[in-house]
Amino acid sequence: MRGWVDTATLPRCWTRGRAAIAGKNGEYHYACPLDQRFLDFVGIDPEALKKELAAGKGDGEILDWIEKNAKHKRTEFEISAWSDFAARRVPTDTESRSYFNDLHQKAAPKTRGCRHVVDLLDLDDYVSFGGKA
């Protein structure tokens, strides 16, 4: 399952979890719908993962724990397909699309090419930490 390290969503899930544990998550929420997509796919309880994160484990240790405890043992092909889909996912309903457009407008209204959810997350991270878009 080492392919998970290359996804755009898994490191963000861990970061949100660690930030929530430290009380520094701000407007971001651990086990948000983006996290939940991954957690559901592998069959990991978000509270169980949070407990492992709270133990201070590094990314490699967390990945080992996920591989051992995942209810859904995925093949390399399934992981690759899921990772590709996650990287290319776009908001599909009007409420999600409106939320996406609002965030894009606030973060960098003149930036083009922000079509996928991970594009917007990257853009928001960049602007939030001092970058100029």
Side-chain angles (χ1 to χ4, degrees), residues 32-52:
C32 67
L34 187 64
D35 297 345
Q36 201 59 54
R37 290 175 192 275
F38 168 76
L39 296 168
D40 289 345
F41 185 71
V42 294
I44 291 288
D45 175 68
E47 290 307 311
L49 176 56
K50 192 174 182 182
K51 182 178 175 185
E52 297 300 312

Side-chain angles (χ1 to χ4, degrees), residues 8-132:
T9 58
L10 184 53
R12 292 176 188 280
C13 176
W14 297 344
T15 300
R16 279 188 289 273
R18 290 179 176 126
I21 292 162
K24 297 183 177 187
N25 54 313
E27 66 185 71
Y28 300 101
H29 305 284
Y30 172 69
C32 67
L34 187 64
D35 297 345
Q36 201 59 54
R37 290 175 192 275
F38 168 76
L39 296 168
D40 289 345
F41 185 71
V42 294
I44 291 288
D45 175 68
E47 290 307 311
L49 176 56
K50 192 174 182 182
K51 182 178 175 185
E52 297 300 312
L53 292 167
K57 293 182 178 179
D59 290 357
E61 294 171 300
I62 293 296
L63 186 58
D64 289 342
W65 181 86
I66 289 171
E67 288 176 338
K68 181 180 176 186
N69 293 281
K71 291 178 186 170
H72 311 300
K73 306 298 184 192
R74 301 296 185 176
T75 66
E76 286 186 36
F77 176 79
E78 289 172 312
I79 292 168
S80 178
W82 189 91
S83 296
D84 188 49
F85 172 77
R88 295 180 183 192
R89 195 174 71 75
V90 297
T92 55
D93 61 84
T94 56
E95 182 180 353
S96 296
R97 188 78 211 162
S98 178
Y99 179 75
F100 181 96
N101 288 338
D102 288 346
L103 284 178
H104 185 194
Q105 182 67 26
K106 289 175 188 171
K110 295 181 181 180
T111 300
R112 296 182 181 182
C114 186
R115 299 181 331 185
H116 304 107
V117 171
V118 295
D119 295 338
L120 181 60
L121 294 173
D122 288 343
L123 178 62
D124 184 59
D125 286 351
Y126 178 72
V127 172
S128 294
F129 293 100
K132 295 189 183 194

